Amino acid sequence: MGVFVITKRDNGQYKFSFDTRRKKTIFTSISLKRKSDCEQMIEAMRQNIANLTYTRNRRASGKLFFRISSGGFVLATSRNFNTEFSMKKAMDDVLKYLPKGEIIDFSENDFVFPPLEDEVDEDAVVETEL
Protein backbone atom coordinates (compact mmCIF):
# COMPACT_ATOMS: atom_id res chain seq x y z
CA MET A 1 0.00 0.00 0.00
CA GLY A 2 0.97 3.62 -0.42
CA VAL A 3 0.23 6.74 1.53
CA PHE A 4 0.17 10.43 0.64
CA VAL A 5 1.95 12.58 3.24
CA ILE A 6 1.17 16.32 3.16
CA THR A 7 3.81 18.56 4.74
CA LYS A 8 4.68 22.24 4.85
CA ARG A 9 8.00 23.44 3.43
CA ASP A 10 10.21 25.94 5.27
CA ASN A 11 9.11 28.66 2.83
CA GLY A 12 5.45 28.21 3.88
CA GLN A 13 4.35 26.34 0.77
CA TYR A 14 2.94 22.82 0.83
CA LYS A 15 3.96 19.56 -0.84
CA PHE A 16 2.98 15.93 -0.67
CA SER A 17 4.93 12.77 -1.09
CA PHE A 18 3.77 9.29 -1.98
CA ASP A 19 5.43 6.79 0.34
CA THR A 20 5.46 3.02 0.62
CA ARG A 21 4.35 1.21 3.75
CA ARG A 22 8.05 0.78 4.50
CA LYS A 23 8.35 4.59 4.75
CA LYS A 24 10.29 4.94 1.51
CA THR A 25 9.35 7.99 -0.56
CA ILE A 26 8.53 7.16 -4.19
CA PHE A 27 7.84 10.71 -5.39
CA THR A 28 7.42 14.27 -4.13
CA SER A 29 5.07 16.83 -5.62
CA ILE A 30 5.86 20.32 -6.79
CA SER A 31 5.41 23.16 -4.24
CA LEU A 32 1.83 24.33 -3.82
CA LYS A 33 0.46 27.46 -2.13
CA ARG A 34 -2.29 25.85 -0.05
CA LYS A 35 -2.94 22.53 1.61
CA SER A 36 -6.21 22.33 -0.30
CA ASP A 37 -4.17 22.48 -3.53
CA CYS A 38 -2.36 19.31 -2.39
CA GLU A 39 -5.65 17.58 -1.68
CA GLN A 40 -7.06 18.62 -5.07
CA MET A 41 -3.93 17.46 -6.92
CA ILE A 42 -3.99 14.11 -5.12
CA GLU A 43 -7.64 13.63 -6.07
CA ALA A 44 -6.93 14.65 -9.69
CA MET A 45 -4.05 12.16 -9.88
CA ARG A 46 -6.31 9.43 -8.52
CA GLN A 47 -9.10 10.22 -10.98
CA ASN A 48 -6.80 10.55 -14.01
CA ILE A 49 -4.11 7.96 -13.32
CA ALA A 50 -4.45 6.50 -16.83
CA ASN A 51 -3.71 9.93 -18.36
CA LEU A 52 -0.56 10.65 -16.34
CA THR A 53 2.74 10.60 -18.21
CA TYR A 54 5.84 9.00 -16.69
CA THR A 55 9.13 10.30 -18.10
CA ARG A 56 12.30 8.38 -17.26
CA ASN A 57 15.47 10.43 -16.71
CA ARG A 58 19.10 9.99 -15.68
CA ARG A 59 21.06 12.45 -13.55
CA ALA A 60 24.68 13.37 -14.31
CA SER A 61 25.66 11.04 -11.45
CA GLY A 62 24.04 8.13 -13.31
CA LYS A 63 21.12 7.80 -10.89
CA LEU A 64 17.71 7.18 -12.44
CA PHE A 65 14.47 9.01 -11.65
CA PHE A 66 11.10 9.68 -13.24
CA ARG A 67 8.74 12.61 -13.46
CA ILE A 68 4.96 12.43 -13.41
CA SER A 69 3.19 14.97 -15.59
CA SER A 70 -0.22 15.77 -16.99
CA GLY A 71 -0.68 17.79 -20.16
CA GLY A 72 3.02 18.65 -20.20
CA PHE A 73 2.92 20.09 -16.65
CA VAL A 74 5.23 18.32 -14.17
CA LEU A 75 3.33 17.31 -11.03
CA ALA A 76 5.98 15.30 -9.17
CA THR A 77 9.53 13.97 -9.29
CA SER A 78 10.61 10.59 -7.96
CA ARG A 79 13.49 9.79 -5.69
CA ASN A 80 16.72 8.47 -7.23
CA PHE A 81 17.11 4.82 -8.19
CA ASN A 82 20.22 2.74 -8.80
CA THR A 83 18.74 0.32 -11.34
CA GLU A 84 16.10 0.25 -14.06
CA PHE A 85 14.46 -2.64 -12.21
CA SER A 86 13.97 -0.66 -8.96
CA MET A 87 12.63 2.35 -10.86
CA LYS A 88 10.21 0.15 -12.83
CA LYS A 89 9.02 -1.47 -9.59
CA ALA A 90 8.36 1.97 -8.07
CA MET A 91 6.42 3.04 -11.15
CA ASP A 92 4.35 -0.16 -10.97
CA ASP A 93 3.68 0.53 -7.27
CA VAL A 94 2.43 4.02 -8.15
CA LEU A 95 0.01 2.60 -10.71
CA LYS A 96 -1.17 -0.09 -8.30
CA TYR A 97 -1.45 1.84 -5.02
CA LEU A 98 -1.97 5.51 -5.90
CA PRO A 99 -5.75 5.22 -6.47
CA LYS A 100 -6.36 3.88 -2.96
CA GLY A 101 -3.59 5.58 -0.99
CA GLU A 102 -4.75 7.26 2.19
CA ILE A 103 -3.81 10.85 3.04
CA ILE A 104 -1.87 11.77 6.18
CA ASP A 105 -1.57 15.47 7.01
CA PHE A 106 1.60 16.55 8.83
CA SER A 107 1.39 20.15 7.60
CA GLU A 108 0.17 21.63 10.87
CA ASN A 109 2.43 19.71 13.22
CA ASP A 110 5.49 17.66 12.32
CA PHE A 111 5.22 15.61 15.48
CA VAL A 112 2.86 12.66 15.59
CA PHE A 113 3.24 12.07 19.30
CA PRO A 114 2.81 14.71 22.01
CA PRO A 115 5.96 15.78 23.86
CA LEU A 116 6.92 13.71 26.86
CA GLU A 117 6.43 15.27 30.24
CA ASP A 118 9.70 15.79 32.06
CA GLU A 119 8.13 14.83 35.35
CA VAL A 120 10.00 12.66 37.78
CA ASP A 121 8.20 11.16 40.71
CA GLU A 122 10.49 12.15 43.61
CA ASP A 123 9.00 9.42 45.84
CA ALA A 124 9.94 6.76 43.30
CA VAL A 125 13.64 7.64 43.38
CA VAL A 126 15.59 5.50 45.81
CA GLU A 127 19.19 6.31 46.68
CA THR A 128 21.51 3.45 47.48
CA GLU A 129 25.12 3.36 48.56
CA LEU A 130 27.58 1.01 46.95
Side-chain angles (χ1 to χ4, degrees):
M1 290 299 290
V3 62
F4 292 96
V5 181
I6 298 174
T7 55
K8 196 171 191 177
R9 294 184 186 266
D10 291 338
N11 66 3
Q13 293 191 333
Y14 295 84
K15 67 173 175 119
F16 64 87
S17 61
F18 187 70
D19 301 349
T20 67
R21 63 181 171 183
R22 294 184 179 156
K23 302 175 189 167
K24 192 113 181 176
T25 297
I26 295 178
F27 67 76
T28 302
S29 73
I30 59 172
S31 292
L32 301 161
K33 290 185 180 183
R34 294 178 296 278
K35 180 172 63 170
S36 62
D37 294 339
C38 288
E39 294 164 344
Q40 289 172 0
M41 186 181 286
I42 291 168
E43 192 56 36
M45 289 176 82
R46 285 178 172 162
Q47 299 284 327
N48 300 304
I49 192 164
N51 299 324
L52 297 176
T53 302
Y54 299 84
T55 307
R56 298 168 189 237
N57 296 287
R58 184 179 301 270
R59 300 200 188 280
S61 65
K63 299 282 185 177
L64 302 164
F65 70 99
F66 62 90
R67 288 201 169 109
I68 301 172
S69 59
S70 178
F73 183 74
V74 174
L75 304 174
T77 301
S78 76
R79 66 180 178 84
N80 292 330
F81 300 94
N82 292 323
T83 65
E84 282 281 341
F85 177 78
S86 60
M87 183 170 67
K88 173 77 169 98
K89 182 174 179 336
M91 293 169 80
D92 290 344
D93 285 349
V94 169
L95 291 170
K96 184 175 181 180
Y97 298 121
L98 185 134
K100 49 192 164 195
E102 68 176 297
I103 299 174
I104 299 175
D105 181 6
F106 288 146
S107 64
E108 301 300 321
N109 187 352
D110 291 334
F111 302 103
V112 178
F113 303 103
L116 294 174
E117 296 295 326
D118 290 334
E119 272 183 35
V120 176
D121 186 356
E122 297 296 328
D123 296 332
V125 176
V126 178
E127 291 184 26
T128 59
E129 290 184 25
L130 297 177

